Amino acid sequence: MRKQALLSVSDKTGVVEFARELAALGYHLLSTGGTAKLIAEAGIEVQEVADYTGFPEMLDGRVKTLNPRIHAGLLARRPDPAHMAALEEHNIDPIDIVVVNLYPFEATIAKPNCAFEDAIENIDIGGPTMIRAAAKNHESVAVVVDPADYARVVEELKANGEVSAKTRLDLAKKVFCHTAKYDGMISTYLTSLDDDFAKKEFPESFTRQWVKVQGMRYGENPHQKAAFYREHNIGKGLFASYKQLHGKELSYNNIADSDAAWEACRQFQEPACVIVKHANPCGVAIGADSCEAYKKAFKTDPTSAFGGILAFNTVVTAACAEEISKQFAEVIMAPAFEEEALAILQKKPSLRLLVIEMGDVANDFEFKRVGGGMLIQTPDLQTAGIEQLRVVTKKQPTAKELEDLLFAWKVAKFVKSNTIVFAKDGMTMGVGAGQMSRLDSARIASIKAEKAGLSLCGTAAASDAFFPFRDGLDVIVDAGATCVIQPGGSVRDEEVIAAADERGIVMVLTGGERHFRH
């Protein structure tokens, strides 16, 4: 029986070169449609599947490879004499290598005005059937769905005359991941449509696939196990697209805190630095460059910044690296590092340095696991601009106060609730986070500022949600704030606004926009 390979791909990257190598190694090539035409035009001998099966393509190409001559050749177990006798009886040659990738369903539904009919036509039937059959019989068949694996297969064929059992199993695993993802996309897409084919916000059945990046020594605590998974096809700008340049392997807590720092930092247009400790920003600032931004952010809370996670939305300069090297940090991430900055920072062997491209993409959904279930929500992408603010006090804000208020509001969005943030001149001056009482958050922010040697006189303060009573406002004003931003919406709003007028400060409302973060 002759050696055979079947090639039928949607992504034609490298397929001609791979076909040429297989032909040179003595494989008889079978192919379909556009792939067969491409291979033949390259001067490589190839047989159309329709000629091989003796049955023409039909139903506009919907039926091509669904034929016993194909599937018997894929599924026959070579060590089983009865299987091989059946092939011989029916004059069927085994198919040893299958090279298939599927109709571009994902790319089709990603188009802004994708018609339902187009989506349905891009649901592949023959492709998944072939690769699942080949993967099931990986004991005898090598199946390739990723062009990145062509070189590995050719190398083993040239060295050993066959694809190794380990590689065949690896390729089979890839197939079932590929088809699981493909079917998941289809089910998610179809169940996201209503009876009129309009898109619903949340599908009835939700399927996603993540790929393991690394195992970890432990999770949030040493007695917990953990691993890090990256979603398929992530866009640049999201944390998981990072490239590590230096330092120890990232831990579970490193990744969680780094993501929090990066999400906060990338919202700023000006050069910015965000320092995160235990999921909360302990210092945030903007400046003329990374060095100035870092110095200002570090001043907010030098004690908490020890062992912190640093994110920059601009190049880390040598001057900035010199400043950072005076302290202990766990992770530094930025879109770029100057060469001299890298040389300075790489003197610390454990310090993790990450490069992440800037980008404006965001996760489409956020997930939180609960016992036996999952909460899913859209991400919090909203941040009030100046046009949304409503001044509710007699005293009007100055342009400078508005600038400070909007800066404080941007930061408050990324601090665990309940949140109070004091800010001035493009830097945080005090941060109160994660308290059960807003009053306690205000007190903690004041205490931290005092310990850092920072005066809160003339600062702007942001509260992530409304003030239920005036007591929290009084603590903020007593600390020195002259203006406050908050969502409003409390039954005691009038009482709180009256308190602001009584204390002679500015209060602006965001029109109900709040930023709870749990």
Side-chain angles (χ1 to χ4, degrees):
M1 292 182 175
R2 62 186 176 182
K3 297 186 295 184
Q4 289 199 115
L6 190 155
L7 304 92
S8 180
V9 293
S10 174
D11 177 1
K12 295 179 172 53
T13 304
V15 73
V16 169
E17 293 78 5
F18 190 39
R20 183 173 284 113
E21 294 278 14
L22 292 175
L25 289 164
Y27 282 83
H28 175 249
L29 305 185
L30 303 172
S31 190
T32 62
T35 308
K37 182 181 178 185
L38 189 67
I39 293 171
E41 287 174 349
I44 304 166
E45 188 174 344
V46 60
Q47 183 178 11
E48 284 269 6
V49 163
D51 293 337
Y52 176 72
T53 62
F55 204 94
E57 290 187 15
M58 62 185 297
L59 306 181
D60 299 319
R62 285 188 170 197
V63 177
K64 293 188 286 259
T65 57
L66 298 170
N67 186 283
R69 284 185 67 80
I70 297 296
H71 286 277
L74 294 174
L75 287 165
R77 297 189 62 207
R78 312 306 192 259
D80 188 327
H83 281 208
M84 299 312 289
L87 291 188
E88 189 144 1
E89 179 185 350
H90 295 283
N91 194 28
I92 297 173
D93 287 317
I95 297 174
D96 307 289
I97 296 176
V98 175
V99 186
V100 171
N101 46 59
L102 310 180
Y103 290 174
F105 182 82
E106 184 174 21
T108 300
I109 62 172
K111 295 174 184 175
N113 298 309
C114 171
F116 178 71
E117 294 76 13
D118 289 339
I120 294 299
E121 281 307 307
N122 276 278
I123 296 176
D124 202 330
I125 302 300
T129 306
M130 280 194 294
I131 61 177
R132 284 174 61 86
K136 176 176 179 175
N137 198 26
H138 66 271
E139 178 187 29
S140 305
V141 182
V143 53
V144 187
V145 294
D146 184 352
D149 292 316
Y150 293 167
R152 178 181 180 183
V153 170
V154 168
E155 183 181 335
E156 291 194 7
L157 288 172
K158 286 181 175 179
N160 309 311
E162 64 177 5
V163 181
S164 68
K166 180 184 184 309
T167 296
R168 292 196 306 273
L169 179 57
D170 288 345
L171 295 173
K173 292 175 184 177
K174 217 166 189 177
V175 164
F176 289 112
C177 290
H178 190 50
T179 56
K181 180 191 173 193
Y182 196 77
D183 286 339
M185 286 189 297
I186 295 168
S187 68
T188 300
Y189 168 76
L190 290 176
T191 63
S192 71
L193 302 177
D194 63 22
D195 292 341
D196 297 318
F197 303 107
K199 192 94 184 293
K200 294 184 286 190
E201 188 108 55
F202 296 96
E204 298 301 317
S205 173
F206 199 101
T207 305
R208 281 287 169 95
Q209 190 176 72
W210 283 266
V211 177
K212 186 177 176 184
V213 177
Q214 66 178 75
M216 295 175 167
R217 287 191 301 140
Y218 54 80
E220 199 167 5
N221 297 291
H223 59 273
Q224 293 172 273
K225 296 179 180 179
F228 177 43
Y229 288 77
R230 177 183 291 140
E231 193 170 3
H232 273 287
N233 303 324
I234 56 170
K236 69 178 182 179
L238 294 173
F239 172 74
S241 66
Y242 74 86
K243 293 180 181 177
Q244 185 165 351
L245 303 181
H246 177 73
K248 292 194 302 186
E249 189 174 74
L250 289 164
S251 72
Y252 180 98
N253 291 330
N254 288 156
I255 289 172
D257 286 349
S258 294
D259 180 61
W262 182 249
E263 286 300 310
C265 190
R266 74 190 189 111
Q267 72 175 326
F268 291 99
Q269 300 303 310
E270 312 89 339
C273 172
V274 175
I275 305 174
V276 162
K277 191 71 174 290
H278 294 296
N280 276 301
C282 60
V284 181
I286 56 176
D289 57 18
S290 58
C291 188
E292 183 183 4
Y294 169 71
K295 286 179 178 178
K296 291 167 69 177
F298 184 76
K299 283 181 184 176
T300 303
D301 189 352
T303 301
S304 297
F306 180 84
I309 308 290
L310 280 60
F312 295 88
N313 65 352
T314 188
V315 60
V316 174
T317 63
C320 183
E322 287 284 7
E323 289 295 324
I324 295 170
S325 65
K326 297 173 186 177
Q327 310 298 332
F328 169 56
E330 290 275 7
V331 181
I332 303 173
M333 69 201 86
F337 294 80
E338 288 183 354
E339 286 300 319
E340 191 178 344
L342 279 177
I344 293 166
L345 296 170
Q346 285 173 339
K347 291 176 183 176
K348 294 177 179 279
S350 297
L351 177 60
R352 302 155 180 93
L353 303 178
L354 313 181
V355 168
I356 309 176
E357 287 187 80
M358 296 300 297
D360 57 2
V361 297
N363 288 328
D364 52 358
F365 295 107
E366 292 179 346
F367 305 89
K368 182 174 287 189
R369 195 81 164 91
V370 298
M374 181 85 78
L375 288 169
I376 302 178
Q377 67 175 356
T378 57
D380 183 3
L381 302 177
Q382 192 167 309
T383 303
I386 196 166
E387 67 285 346
Q388 292 169 254
L389 303 185
R390 181 166 65 93
V391 181
V392 292
T393 48
K394 295 171 185 175
K395 190 172 183 180
Q396 298 294 302
T398 65
K400 178 65 173 58
E401 284 176 325
L402 283 173
E403 190 177 295
D404 287 340
L405 286 167
L406 288 172
F407 177 86
W409 188 244
K410 276 187 177 181
V411 176
K413 175 178 168 182
F414 294 94
V415 181
K416 299 289 186 182
S417 300
N418 286 309
T419 300
I420 297 292
V421 174
F422 290 92
K424 186 178 181 180
D425 299 330
M427 67 174 281
T428 47
M429 305 291 284
V431 179
Q435 298 305 303
M436 291 73 78
S437 157
R438 194 162 304 281
L439 180 61
D440 286 340
S441 289
R443 288 171 176 154
I444 288 169
S446 301
I447 292 167
K448 281 185 167 290
E450 183 181 355
K451 286 189 174 180
L454 299 174
S455 170
L456 295 181
C457 290
T459 55
S463 173
D464 64 340
F466 62 64
F467 290 94
F469 304 96
R470 69 167 288 171
D471 52 3
L473 178 70
D474 284 326
V475 171
I476 287 170
V477 179
D478 289 343
T482 59
C483 51
V484 175
I485 184 170
Q486 58 124 333
S490 167
V491 294
R492 292 186 177 83
D493 271 356
E494 293 305 317
E495 178 186 323
V496 173
I497 293 167
D501 280 331
E502 177 190 318
R503 301 301 301 268
I505 68 160
V506 172
M507 178 173 284
V508 300
L509 303 185
T510 63
E513 176 186 298
R514 77 174 191 191
H515 292 295
F516 275 165
R517 191 175 181 86
H518 293 97

